[in-house]
């Protein structure tokens, strides 16, 4: 798939889910490199690849897995001594990222399943491969579990979730988003994914997650977030805020109806922020951590992010 096709599919949400977006972006970068003619000039190659990376980065602003994945793949390419080395590094880093991303999901699924006791009822929101992986693994281990899955307006990702759960013969109850609090009394724990995790352990995920976490907190039910380490956002250490994507309003209300309501404003933020105090555990491939240890994950697994931040501070001091 060309870089433009991949970017278009991410924008239109044909490619969606924070982890999948990262893998597809990386594989598009790898394939794009193959289409570039060899010039023998490494700077031309790097410039072309940066343009392609920028195109992908401009698609959706919230899931930090996208810029993290692009950085993981591009970082060493930028310092390659010649074109062939740059091409080889890019190919290797891309393949490594895709492989490690899948391995991370497998590990998270096993750890996530360990946190789902036999006989429990789990609520999930949206369609997270990490959260679903944990539920499916619990079932595979022979645990008797049930799931409550929300609809997830306006894109209805809940339908993808219930199809997957049904395919795995997991008894599932499908509810509208606003039924989450009423149904919380039937539920033992909540498992969701993440699009970004900030340095203070707050989790950015599909709109509605924070309401569910709040209800779970009120009902004394555990909230577990499943997230690969590349969902952590080191730049939040500097105070950079995660941008919450606002999508077209006609995803919420068709334009012809909205046109007849001139005093009505429509908003369509597609993610929200769940504060750390409503999260019991974040399960990563590196282990399960309480949210306040988010910085440790950033330091150990996204160390490059911190090095870059340090350089920024140094250049600020020089100015
Ligand atoms: O990476 P995995 O766990 O699959 O998904 C993580 C999150 O990405 C999705 O965003 P969207 O549907 O692309 O807007 C959902 O918010 C989901 O919880």
């Amino acid at each position: 798939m060309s870089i433009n096709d991949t970017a278009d599919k991410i924008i239109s949400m044909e490619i969606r889910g924070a982890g999948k977006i990262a893998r597809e972006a990386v594989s598009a970068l790898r394939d794009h490199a193959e289409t570039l003619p060899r010039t023998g000039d490494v700077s031309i190659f790097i410039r072309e690849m940066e343009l392609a990376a920028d195109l992908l980065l401009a698609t959706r602003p919230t899931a930090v897995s996208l810029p993290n994945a692009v950085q993981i793949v591009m970082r060493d390419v930028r310092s390659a001594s010649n074109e062939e080395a740059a091409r080889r590094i890019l190919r290797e880093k891309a393949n490594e990222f895709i492989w490690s991303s899948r391995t991370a999901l497998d590990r998270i699924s096993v750890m996530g399943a360990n946190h789902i006791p036999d006989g429990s009822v789990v609520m999930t929101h949206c369609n997270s491969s990490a959260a679903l992986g944990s539920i499916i693994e619990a079932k595979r281990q022979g645990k008797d579990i049930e799931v409550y899955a929300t609809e997830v307006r306006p894109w209805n990702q809940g339908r993808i979730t219930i199809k997957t759960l049904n395919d795995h013969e997991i008894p599932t109850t499908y509810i509208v988003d606003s039924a989450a609090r009423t149904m919380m009394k039937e539920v033992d724990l909540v498992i969701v994914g993440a699009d970004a995790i900030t340095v203070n352990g707050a989790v950015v995920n599909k709109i509605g997650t924070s309401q569910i976490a709040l209800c779970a907190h009120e009902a004394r039910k555990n909230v577990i977030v499943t997230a690969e380490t590349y969902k952590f956002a080191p730049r939040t250490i500097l105070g950079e805020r995660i941008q919450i994507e606002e999508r077209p309003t006609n995803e919420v209300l068709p334009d012809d109806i909205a046109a007849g309501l001139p005093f009505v404003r429509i908003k369509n933020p597609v993610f929200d922020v769940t504060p750390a105090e409503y999260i019991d555990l974040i399960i990563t491939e590196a282990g399960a951590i309480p949210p306040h240890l988010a910085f440790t994950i950033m330091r150990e697994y996204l160390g490059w992010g911190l090095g870059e931040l340090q350089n920024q501070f140094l250049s600020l001091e020089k100015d």
Side-chain angles (χ1 to χ4, degrees), residues 16-19 60 126-130 157 194-195 205-206 231 271:
R16 54 145 297 280
R60 293 189 72 192
C126 201
N127 180 253
S128 155
S129 39
Q157 286 97 327
D195 291 81
N205 193 46
K206 182 58 55 195
K231 309 259 178 82
F271 298 101

Side-chain angles (χ1 to χ4, degrees), residues 132-314:
L132 271 181
S134 304
I135 294 168
I136 292 164
E137 174 59 20
K139 159 85 179 179
R140 199 198 61 77
Q141 291 174 358
K143 290 178 183 168
D144 178 22
I145 50 167
E146 258 183 67
V147 177
Y148 275 75
T150 48
E151 193 176 25
V152 198
R153 278 270 295 151
W155 270 82
N156 299 318
Q157 286 97 327
R159 291 189 198 174
I160 313 170
T161 295
I162 58 172
K163 166 86 173 65
T164 305
L165 292 167
N166 186 69
D167 288 348
H168 286 84
E169 300 179 4
I170 297 172
T172 299
T173 305
Y174 186 48
I175 57 171
V176 296
D177 299 316
S178 43
R181 185 167 184 246
T182 294
M183 294 301 167
M184 194 56 77
K185 56 182 174 299
E186 314 292 336
V187 167
D188 298 303
L189 71 152
V190 172
I191 299 189
V192 290
D195 291 81
I197 299 175
T198 67
V199 67
N200 63 359
V203 169
V204 180
N205 193 46
K206 182 58 55 195
I207 191 86
T209 303
S210 67
Q211 288 175 175
I212 293 174
L214 185 61
C215 299
H217 186 72
E218 177 200 42
R220 309 286 187 270
K221 309 293 168 79
N222 281 346
V223 175
I224 295 176
V225 173
T226 50
E228 303 89 313
T229 49
Y230 56 81
K231 309 259 178 82
F232 287 70
R235 298 186 68 84
T236 57
I237 295 168
L238 271 189
E240 190 172 297
R241 299 179 77 83
I242 302 290
Q243 192 189 330
I244 301 294
E245 178 182 7
E246 293 249 0
R247 292 190 60 89
T249 56
N250 62 10
E251 291 181 355
V252 177
L253 197 68
D255 286 335
D256 56 338
I257 298 179
L261 303 166
F263 294 98
V264 175
R265 181 171 70 140
I266 304 155
K267 297 272 282 175
N268 187 18
V270 297
F271 298 101
D272 65 20
V273 182
T274 303
E277 59 260 40
Y278 299 135
I279 298 159
D280 294 283
L281 207 59
I282 301 177
I283 298 180
T284 76
E285 73 275 21
I289 58 155
H292 68 264
L293 287 188
F295 174 75
T296 309
I297 294 289
M298 291 173 190
R299 191 183 56 199
E300 302 292 324
Y301 293 89
L302 301 162
W304 49 264
L306 302 182
E308 279 179 1
L309 297 181
Q310 216 166 18
N311 289 341
Q312 278 187 28
F313 276 128
L314 286 176

Side-chain angles (χ1 to χ4, degrees), residues 49-92:
M49 290 310 301
E50 296 286 10
L51 286 173
D54 287 347
L55 190 74
L56 294 167
L57 291 173
T59 54
R60 293 189 72 192
T62 303
V64 77
S65 50
L66 175 60
N68 278 350
V70 167
Q71 173 67 356
I72 286 166
V73 168
M74 289 293 291
R75 185 180 49 138
D76 294 342
V77 172
R78 293 181 184 121
S79 53
S81 54
N82 60 63
E83 186 185 349
E84 282 317 306
R87 286 177 177 273
R88 180 179 45 77
I89 292 167
L90 188 123
R91 211 169 37 241
E92 285 173 3

